[in-house]
Structure formats: C-alpha cells, structure tokens
Amino acid sequence: MSEYIIEMLHITKEFPGIIANDDITLQLRKGEIHALLGENGAGKSTLMSVLFGMYQPEKGEIRKNGQVVQIRDPNDANALGIGMVHQHFKLVDVFSVLDNIILGVEPTATTFGFLQKAQARQKVMELSERYGLKVDPDAMVEDITVGMQQRTEILKMLYRDNEVLIFDEPTAVLTPQETVSLFSVPEGNLCSS
C-alpha cells in the first residue's frame, strides 16, 4: 500500500497559447491538509480541476493509493472518493438543501425505485451535526445565505463519502463572519486548498 492517498505526478495542462501547469507533482497523505498558494492565473484551480476530472492533462499521471487511475470526469473522481467544492456553487436554486445534497445519488428502495428521503435526511443531519455544518434541509437554496450554500456544497461531498475534499478558493464569496465559521469546524475535519 502506498503512503500516499493521492499522487499527481508530472502533470502538464495546456490551453491554447498558455501552459497552465508545467510538470507539477503533488503528493497527499491521508489526514494531511494542504493549501495551494499563488497569484491569480498561477494554475491552482486548473490543477485541482485536473484532479477532479474537469480537465485532462496533456502529460503526467494520477495515482490513488499507489494505483494509476483515469479520471475522465467528475463522476470518476467521486467514484474514487474525490470531491470538490467549487468557488462558484453548483446548486439548483429551486431545490431544497436536502434535494441538492442527494442529487445524483438519491437513495431508492429496491422495489419500485421509490426515493428514500427519510434515510437521506438522517444521514445529512448526522453529517451536519458531526462536522458542525448547520443547515436547514427543507430550506430552498434560493432563500439561504451564501455561507449556508457553501455548507450545503460541503455536505454534498461528505454525503458521497469522499475521502479527499478539494476547496476552490473557499473564502472568496464569504463574509468575514462566514469565513471564521468555516474554519471553526470541530476536530479539524475539513481542509482547504
């Protein structure tokens, strides 16, 4: 077993006329918290988008627990336990908080395929309590604060049992109070990059 949960080895990502990432290696051990720092345009979000499958690198490889993996899209990333909270939220305004969290991985009964929202609500509330991410599962996203929207995005990734969480500029859209709240999560359970 590898000592690293994630390895991005010699990653190069190019766009027309620009090299966004040039031979980047990043290795993460389970339980570590990393922050990528740099000016606007330095390639931080691009590198994390490669890890989350939103972009494909021209060169390099990604390993999960020592095994080379192909991450062709965010579904592949989620299947590997990699989740991303984007700077610009990916929520459906006319859905409830609960519906946004379970969207795409809705629990259904084995017979007749009926949605099992009671199970989903219980898991969301347990995660909310465990990580100090208070949300109202019945609130409509269009009616909640930006801070609660971010907590909804984080819970969406935790609901999927992701082991690796990527935060793309987590404080960019938050007020100073919401920023303090985000980094006050109990037990240091979340990290940002």
Side-chain angles (χ1 to χ4, degrees):
M1 178 104 174
S2 173
E3 68 178 295
Y4 299 107
I5 189 168
I6 292 291
E7 294 176 89
M8 300 181 78
L9 304 172
H10 307 288
I11 300 294
T12 297
K13 177 61 191 163
E14 299 176 9
F15 296 104
I18 189 166
I19 299 174
N21 298 132
D22 187 11
D23 193 25
I24 305 294
T25 292
L26 176 66
Q27 297 171 306
L28 309 171
R29 290 180 185 91
K30 190 172 181 106
E32 287 184 334
I33 298 172
H34 291 259
L36 299 179
L37 302 174
E39 295 182 19
N40 287 340
K44 305 174 302 291
S45 293
T46 300
L47 185 65
M48 293 300 97
S49 292
V50 167
L51 179 58
F52 192 58
M54 295 175 67
Y55 296 137
Q56 299 304 303
E58 277 65 42
K59 296 178 188 170
E61 69 181 21
I62 299 173
R63 295 181 186 174
K64 170 91 187 293
N65 295 320
Q67 301 295 315
V68 175
V69 294
Q70 298 299 315
I71 305 176
R72 295 173 296 276
D73 58 40
N75 290 329
D76 287 347
N78 277 310
L80 290 167
I82 301 167
M84 185 168 185
V85 177
H86 302 272
Q87 178 180 356
H88 302 289
F89 304 138
K90 310 287 186 200
L91 300 173
V92 180
D93 287 344
V94 296
F95 282 15
S96 70
V97 167
L98 178 63
D99 290 337
N100 268 280
I101 291 170
I102 67 173
L103 186 62
V105 290
E106 298 89 346
T108 56
T110 53
T111 56
F112 305 115
F114 288 107
L115 190 60
Q116 300 295 303
K117 272 194 172 178
Q119 283 178 264
R121 176 184 299 278
Q122 181 177 349
K123 182 174 178 179
V124 167
M125 296 315 292
E126 287 170 3
L127 289 167
S128 175
E129 186 67 30
R130 178 177 175 193
Y131 292 102
L133 298 167
K134 304 291 185 222
V135 296
D136 175 358
D138 299 313
M140 300 303 287
V141 167
E142 64 190 354
D143 297 330
I144 62 176
T145 66
V146 172
M148 190 179 289
Q149 288 179 33
Q150 187 170 55
R151 290 192 297 275
T152 300
E153 286 280 13
I154 294 167
L155 285 166
K156 188 165 59 170
M157 294 302 110
L158 293 172
Y159 184 84
R160 287 157 175 74
D161 298 321
N162 287 314
E163 306 176 83
V164 177
L165 294 179
I166 304 164
F167 289 77
D168 185 16
E169 300 194 34
T171 61
V173 296
L174 300 180
T175 66
Q177 280 181 308
E178 290 169 330
T179 299
V180 169
S181 176
L182 174 65
F183 291 113
S184 299
V185 171
E187 304 169 24
N189 285 310
L190 300 175
C191 63
S192 73
S193 55

